[in-house]
Amino acid sequence: MDKRTIAVSLVMGISLLWFDASDAKTPQQTDDQIRQRIIDDSVASYPGVCACPFNSARNGSSCGRRSAWSKQGGYAPVCYKKEISKQQVEEWRNDHQA
């Protein structure tokens, strides 16, 4: 074999290894990580800045009782991990499998 054939073979072999590694499943997210993703998605989908009590209003003050989460009716964003059931975590996991 000449040097060029060896180089091409080497590049092809490395490429195959790289593609096999990229096909490997990513580690499963923990329930806690999924709960945080659900919260992040919920807050991001809220049209204003005060989805949750811990968010900051435009003037920099804490949203507190002005938040959508604190008010009855209307939007009901998910703000805390304790609000998310094991079943909701499993549903999220099933809906977001690669």
Side-chain angles (χ1 to χ4, degrees):
M1 284 188 177
D2 66 347
K3 289 181 181 179
R4 185 171 182 209
T5 305
I6 293 171
V8 169
S9 297
L10 183 60
V11 169
M12 289 177 64
I14 291 171
S15 297
L16 287 173
L17 288 173
W18 182 76
F19 283 119
D20 285 344
S22 66
D23 288 341
K25 281 194 165 192
T26 56
Q28 189 176 33
Q29 294 184 41
T30 66
D31 289 0
D32 196 53
Q33 289 170 320
I34 291 174
R35 283 185 173 90
Q36 188 59 52
R37 292 282 306 269
I38 292 170
I39 292 167
D40 293 344
D41 292 347
S42 179
V43 171
S45 70
Y46 182 70
V49 294
C50 281
C52 299
F54 53 79
N55 292 132
S56 296
R58 284 184 179 87
N59 66 5
S61 65
S62 178
C63 291
R65 286 190 242 161
R66 294 177 289 162
S67 69
W69 184 88
S70 300
K71 295 179 180 179
Q72 294 283 353
Y75 285 95
V78 178
C79 296
Y80 300 101
K81 291 178 183 178
K82 65 183 179 183
E83 297 177 75
I84 304 166
S85 70
K86 179 73 173 165
Q87 181 180 350
Q88 289 171 303
V89 169
E90 290 304 318
E91 288 172 5
W92 190 96
R93 186 174 278 132
N94 291 334
D95 291 344
H96 294 84
Q97 284 182 354

